Amino acid sequence: MDDSAKRLLQRLMRRIPTPTLRSALEKWGRLTTEQQKSMDFTQSKWALTERLLGICEVNSAIFSEIQINVNQGMWYAFQLMDPEDDAKSVDLTQFKEQFKSHLRELVRNVSIKMKKHTDEAVWIRIAWGDTFSRPNHLKPTYIVHYLQTPYVFVTSITSKQKPLLSQALVLSTRYQAIKDANLSGRKLTAIRDLLMKKYQQVFPTKYPIPPPENNQTISNQHIEKEQAELAANRLQMACEAFGGGMLPQLQSAVYKLETKFRDHSNKTMTEREEPFRCVVKFTSTNLLESFRHCASSGIASTPVTPLLSCIPLKGRNYFLITDNGPGPSSQRGQPQV
Amino acid sequence: MERHQNRYNSILLITLLKYYFLKETRTPRNNVVVHRRRKSKSYRLSYRSGLGAADSRLGWSPALTARRLNTSRKAAGISNIAERVDPGQLALLVKTEWQLSYVTPLHQFRHTQLKSYARQLSAFIAAGKQQGLAVEVEGLQTTFRVSFSLVQGMTQSDEDAESVLVQIHSKRLFARQDEPQKPVWSGWLTCINGNPDYLRALPKDFVCLPLFGCSGADGLSALVKSWFQQSFDCCFGLLEISHTSLQWLMALWTNCHAESGIQHLKMIWTLPAAPPLQVTYTVDPEDAWELWSSVRKGKGGGGGGEEEEEAGENYIDIEEVTSFMQGLKSHFYRHFRLDLSAGSLNQVSTALGSAKYSGRMKISNSRYMITTLTLLTECALLKMPI
C-alpha cells in the first residue's frame, strides 16, 4: 500500500463515527472472521487504524468501498433515451471497457472502479482529477446502472462533472441521449424500487372488506356496514394509486404549479390571465405511505388525483404543472431544465 | 408564597368585578369604530371568530367575557418606529427568533428601579447556579452580568406601560476588554395597544406587560421567569399562536407587499397521516398580493355605509382574512384533492417575519413590528387566567 492510500485510509477511519466503526467494517466485508475478531474495539481509534492498516497491507483491499456506508447524500435518477440497435446486447465486459476508455478520453486524471453486484447492478466509483491534480478520493461520485435497463442512479456529482459523465454513459451504453428522470431521494433502494416498479402493485379487482372490529359495544349495524363499504372503496382506490404492502421510502415530492386560479366565489381572480404561481412540497418519512393513508382515511378525496398518483406511476417526484389547453387544467410533467 | 397568592387572587378578583361592572355602564371613549362594527354585524359572529383564540379555560358565559380577539384590525401603516426607538435596541429585537409567553400583571414593578432589579437577578442566577439549577453555558468560569433597559418609544397609547429589555451577558474570566459581548440570553416584556378598559381597571400597584419573549438557554429562561414570579407575584404561561392569529399575520404581512416586498408567502401545514405528512405551500408574492387585493375589493357594504367611509381601507376584517385563506386552500384542493383543513397550520412566514404555532416568532422588518406586537399583545391579554 502506498503512502497516499495509507493516508486516505487514516482519514476515512477518522470520519467514521466510533460507535458505527464495528458495523462499518463488518459491512465492508474485506476482513476475514479471524481478522475481524482480532480487532479490539475497546482500543483508541488511532490504535485501531494502525491495526487495520496492518491487515490491509496483507489484504491489499479496495478500501474505498467503506465510503458507501458512510454516504448520506442524495441520489438522482437519470434515464437513457433513444437506444441504438445494439443497445440491448451490451454486456458487462463491453460496457466496462467502453465506459473506462470514453471517460479517460474526456478527463485526464480519473480513477474508475467498477463492480457488478448480484442484483444485476453495476456500481461505478469515480474519483475526479484534472490535468494538474490527482484524483480526489475523498469526494467520489457513485453511479449505479442496471444493465438492460435505461436507468442510471448518481450521487455526489457537480454540475461540471455531469456532462462528462453523461457523455461517457451514453456512448458506452449505446443510447443517444440521457435525461433527468426528475426523481431524487436519500435511499437508493427506494428510488430504484419506485422507478423500476419493484413493489407490490394493486390492480382493480375486488378487494376484501376489512373485518369489522368486535370490541365495539354499542354500534349500529347499518352504520357499520355502510361505513365499512365506503372505507373498503377508499382503501381499494388508495392501493390502486400507490401500491399495496411495503412501499418504497420516498421522502419528498415537489410540485411547481403555474396554473390559473379558478374559484367560483372569487370573480376577480378567476378572470385573471396570468397563472397563480406557487410551489408545494410534501415531506414525510415515507411519503407514499402517507399519501396512501390520506386516501384511505378520507383526508384526500378519492379517486386519487392524477397529480399524486403520478409519483408511483411515472416514478418521479419533481413536477412542473401548467394549464394545457382549454378546459379543466390537466397536468403535464415537464423535464427539469 | 401562599399568602401572596391569596392576596393576588383577591385583588384581581375585585379588579375583575370592577372591570365588568364598569364596562356595562360606561361607554368606551376610543375604539368607537370597532365597537360599532361589532354591533352591526351579528354579535355571535364575532364571538365565534374570537373564541378560537380565547382561552378555553375561561368557560364563562359570553356576557361576562366580553374580551375577545378583535374581528377588525388596523392595517399596518408605515410606522416611524425607527425614529422613535433607539436603533441599537431595535436591532436587538429584530431578526431573532423569540419564544413567547404571556405574563400576568406585575405587582409593584417600578420602571425606575431597573438597576436594582438587574443586581437582584444577577444574584439570583448566581445562587441558582450554585444549587445546580442553571444549565452551564460556557464552562465553569462564567459569571453573569445582567442588564435591564427601558425601551422607549414603542408604546402606542397612554395606557401601555414602557417596554423593558433584559439581557444576560457572560463574563469570562479571561475575556479581552474590547471584545464586543453578545448576550447569551435576552428577553423583553412589552404591552402594545393593550385593551384600555382592562388596563384602566387594574389597581394602581399593578403594571401590565403581558407579552414576554425570550431567546437563549432554557435554563436561564427558567431562572429569569422564576425570579419574576417570586419578585412580582406573577405567572408565566406558554403563548401559542392560534390558527386565527397565524391567519391574521399572513393577511397583515401580505397587505404590506406594496410597500415592502414580502418575497414569498410560505405556509407549513401538518396533515395527520401515518406517518405525518408535512406540506410546505409557498406562494409567489405578486400572486398572493393579487389574491389578497381581490378579497378586499370584493367586500362590499358589510355593516353599513357610514362605517365604510370612516374605516376606509385602513381596517381589515376577519372575513377578508378567512376568504384569503379559503382561496389558497381551494386552489390547493383543486389540484391535490387534499383538504388542508384536515391538518393544522404550524408556521407562516414572509420576508417580514415568521410565526409558529408553538409560540416562536421572528420579526425581520422593524417597520411592521408594532402591528405584529399589537396582535400578540392581544393574544397574551386573552390568555390571562382571570
Side-chain angles (χ1 to χ4, degrees):
Chain A
M1 254 165 71
D2 61 348
D3 275 334
S4 63
K6 268 198 200 151
R7 270 200 300 276
L8 183 55
L9 182 59
Q10 281 166 339
R11 280 169 88 171
L12 276 174
M13 284 291 284
R14 264 203 294 262
R15 276 165 75 163
I16 300 175
T18 320
T20 62
L21 194 53
R22 172 175 273 177
S23 51
L25 286 173
E26 271 173 24
K27 266 195 208 156
W28 185 38
R30 291 284 163 174
L31 308 175
T32 65
T33 337
E34 297 88 49
Q35 285 168 336
Q36 186 88 14
K37 280 203 190 123
S38 73
M39 301 272 294
D40 182 6
F41 286 96
T42 56
Q43 288 180 309
S44 69
K45 219 189 225 186
W46 184 86
L48 280 171
T49 312
E50 291 295 302
R51 182 94 188 86
L52 188 62
L53 275 172
I55 294 176
C56 285
E57 293 273 12
V58 175
N59 289 354
S60 314
I62 307 175
F63 51 82
S64 53
E65 289 181 27
I66 268 186
Q67 282 180 289
I68 297 180
N69 297 324
V70 192
N71 193 6
Q72 285 293 308
M74 287 285 281
W75 287 89
Y76 298 89
F78 293 87
Q79 189 168 346
L80 295 157
M81 310 284 291
D82 306 321
E84 307 266 359
D85 294 329
D86 53 347
K88 288 281 182 220
S89 59
V90 172
D91 70 339
L92 180 63
T93 337
Q94 183 187 351
F95 173 62
K96 274 184 169 177
E97 280 168 17
Q98 292 278 302
F99 183 78
K100 283 188 186 170
S101 71
H102 279 124
L103 195 60
R104 290 222 165 90
E105 266 173 54
L106 294 165
V107 187
R108 273 302 280 284
N109 251 327
V110 67
S111 154
I112 309 172
K113 301 242 184 325
M114 298 176 78
K115 189 175 177 212
K116 179 167 175 297
H117 284 205
T118 44
D119 59 347
E120 299 302 312
V122 181
W123 279 71
I124 308 171
R125 179 183 178 278
I126 301 179
W128 303 86
D130 57 26
T131 336
F132 304 110
S133 60
R134 298 184 62 189
N136 183 358
H137 284 275
L138 285 174
K139 287 192 188 149
T141 301
Y142 287 97
I143 300 125
V144 180
H145 172 51
Y146 288 82
L147 287 172
Q148 313 307 323
T149 71
Y151 303 118
V152 180
F153 303 96
V154 184
T155 184
S156 311
I157 192 167
T158 66
S159 48
K160 285 206 185 104
Q161 297 158 349
K162 220 195 261 189
L164 303 167
L165 177 65
S166 310
Q167 176 87 324
L169 276 170
V170 162
L171 290 171
S172 53
T173 52
R174 306 291 295 149
Y175 278 79
Q176 285 185 27
I178 187 169
K179 76 163 171 104
D180 193 338
N182 283 322
L183 177 63
S184 62
R186 284 199 184 275
K187 289 187 142 192
L188 175 63
T189 44
I191 61 174
R192 178 201 65 196
D193 290 343
L194 189 69
L195 198 52
M196 299 178 25
K197 304 255 189 294
K198 282 187 184 164
Y199 59 94
Q200 186 187 341
Q201 311 232 302
V202 173
F203 299 100
T205 55
K206 197 89 176 93
Y207 209 85
I209 297 174
E213 312 231 332
N214 287 327
N215 55 355
Q216 284 162 348
T217 46
I218 304 166
S219 56
N220 191 333
Q221 288 296 321
H222 297 296
I223 296 177
E224 282 296 316
K225 191 160 165 229
E226 196 177 302
Q227 288 304 312
E229 222 173 281
L230 290 171
N233 278 340
R234 283 199 299 261
L235 186 59
Q236 168 71 0
M237 286 198 264
C239 290
E240 276 172 36
F242 299 111
M246 290 281 291
L247 295 175
Q249 266 193 323
L250 210 57
Q251 287 90 25
S252 67
V254 175
Y255 292 83
K256 208 159 170 233
L257 300 176
E258 284 175 15
T259 50
K260 281 214 224 148
F261 192 94
R262 261 187 218 106
D263 192 359
H264 296 298
S265 54
N266 194 331
K267 280 217 188 83
T268 331
M269 285 304 283
T270 315
E271 286 160 14
R272 195 166 166 251
E273 282 300 313
E274 297 91 23
F276 190 81
R277 287 156 295 168
C278 52
V279 176
V280 176
K281 182 171 180 186
F282 294 98
T283 29
S284 166
T285 46
N286 189 337
L287 191 68
L288 293 174
E289 190 75 53
S290 295
F291 281 143
R292 187 172 63 182
H293 185 253
C294 284
S296 62
S297 63
I299 300 173
S301 307
T302 46
V304 179
T305 170
L307 254 72
L308 292 179
S309 58
C310 214
I311 301 177
L313 195 68
K314 298 230 173 101
R316 46 186 294 184
N317 65 356
Y318 176 85
F319 300 90
L320 174 64
I321 312 290
T322 55
D323 288 319
N324 205 2
S329 86
S330 54
Q331 50 82 22
R332 172 172 61 102
Q334 281 185 351
Q336 193 177 6
V337 175
Chain B
M1 205 53 186
E2 260 305 302
R3 246 184 333 136
H4 287 308
Q5 204 61 31
N6 286 337
R7 177 189 70 189
Y8 169 74
N9 277 343
S10 60
I11 287 179
L12 234 49
L13 198 53
I14 295 169
T15 310
L16 173 71
L17 291 171
K18 245 200 305 192
Y19 167 54
Y20 290 129
F21 182 65
L22 286 171
K23 192 157 185 9
E24 297 308 316
T25 56
R26 188 183 58 177
T27 41
R29 270 165 296 164
N30 35 6
N31 284 17
V32 168
V33 179
V34 177
H35 274 253
R36 256 205 279 164
R37 270 182 176 274
R38 265 202 220 136
K39 272 200 202 146
S40 57
K41 286 200 216 42
S42 142
Y43 178 79
R44 262 192 293 171
L45 189 68
S46 67
Y47 165 69
R48 239 182 286 141
S49 68
L51 199 55
D55 192 343
S56 58
R57 274 181 288 163
L58 284 168
W60 291 15
S61 61
L64 279 175
T65 49
R67 289 184 289 131
R68 53 187 43 80
L69 204 61
N70 278 336
T71 54
S72 176
R73 196 170 297 283
K74 190 154 187 233
I78 301 177
S79 75
N80 51 354
I81 187 145
E83 295 157 26
R84 285 160 43 205
V85 181
D86 171 55
Q89 289 176 326
L90 209 57
L92 289 167
L93 292 173
V94 298
K95 293 201 173 63
T96 310
E97 193 173 55
W98 304 103
Q99 175 68 53
L100 299 175
S101 313
Y102 65 85
V103 194
T104 54
L106 307 165
H107 183 244
Q108 290 193 335
F109 179 89
R110 305 258 179 275
H111 285 91
T112 47
Q113 295 206 355
L114 294 182
K115 275 214 169 60
S116 152
Y117 295 153
R119 274 197 303 271
Q120 290 175 33
L121 182 54
S122 197
F124 187 82
I125 292 177
K129 242 182 58 156
Q130 281 230 318
Q131 291 175 25
L133 286 175
V135 165
E136 288 299 336
V137 178
E138 283 165 23
L140 299 163
Q141 297 106 321
T142 43
T143 49
F144 296 108
R145 178 174 68 84
V146 178
S147 71
F148 273 63
S149 28
L150 203 61
V151 184
Q152 286 180 306
M154 279 178 47
T155 55
Q156 297 292 297
S157 74
D158 294 328
E159 310 293 339
D160 289 340
E162 293 282 357
S163 310
V164 176
L165 176 67
V166 182
Q167 288 177 288
I168 301 180
H169 299 264
S170 72
K171 274 195 298 197
R172 277 179 308 175
L173 277 182
F174 304 109
R176 292 202 315 269
Q177 289 297 72
D178 52 347
E179 229 180 84
Q181 279 200 314
K182 234 181 69 163
V184 295
W185 186 95
S186 338
W188 43 265
L189 289 146
T190 188
C191 179
I192 309 286
N193 271 325
N195 186 314
D197 298 324
Y198 180 81
L199 294 175
R200 266 181 234 135
L202 286 176
K204 279 219 178 65
D205 268 350
F206 284 89
V207 170
C208 186
L209 288 165
L211 190 62
F212 174 73
C214 62
S215 147
D218 283 337
L220 285 173
S221 302
L223 275 176
V224 173
K225 284 185 193 171
S226 58
W227 178 79
F228 268 96
Q229 284 177 326
Q230 252 181 257
S231 315
F232 306 110
D233 206 9
C234 60
C235 299
F236 282 78
L238 176 65
L239 182 67
E240 283 169 346
I241 306 179
S242 69
H243 180 80
T244 315
S245 311
L246 286 173
Q247 283 185 320
W248 268 113
L249 284 172
M250 247 174 65
L252 289 168
W253 283 333
T254 308
N255 196 49
C256 303
H257 179 64
E259 292 161 2
S260 328
I262 58 177
Q263 281 173 30
H264 58 259
L265 173 63
K266 183 161 87 157
M267 293 165 274
I268 300 184
W269 297 79
T270 311
L271 289 168
L277 182 63
Q278 186 178 284
V279 181
T280 309
Y281 186 2
T282 314
V283 184
D284 198 73
E286 290 299 327
D287 299 312
W289 165 249
E290 290 221 19
L291 177 62
W292 172 245
S293 318
S294 73
V295 164
R296 296 216 73 194
K297 262 188 251 161
K299 186 161 169 23
E306 71 261 43
E307 275 106 324
E308 294 302 327
E309 275 171 23
E310 271 172 359
E313 300 102 38
N314 249 349
Y315 277 87
I316 301 177
D317 268 342
I318 185 84
E319 279 108 11
E320 293 169 312
V321 177
T322 38
S323 306
F324 181 53
M325 180 56 103
Q326 199 47 48
L328 291 167
K329 278 190 199 169
S330 74
H331 185 73
F332 186 89
Y333 184 80
R334 204 164 66 81
H335 289 86
F336 300 103
R337 291 171 63 83
L338 265 176
D339 195 356
L340 285 172
S341 312
S344 54
L345 180 58
N346 286 118
Q347 188 180 333
V348 169
S349 74
T350 66
L352 302 177
S354 71
K356 294 185 189 159
Y357 181 80
S358 57
R360 301 191 80 89
M361 177 273 296
K362 175 157 77 163
I363 298 174
S364 310
N365 189 329
S366 60
R367 279 162 112 197
Y368 306 103
M369 196 164 75
I370 296 297
T371 323
T372 313
L373 289 178
T374 306
L375 174 67
L376 294 169
T377 306
E378 225 179 283
C379 293
L381 280 175
L382 279 173
K383 288 278 238 179
M384 293 295 148
I386 300 179

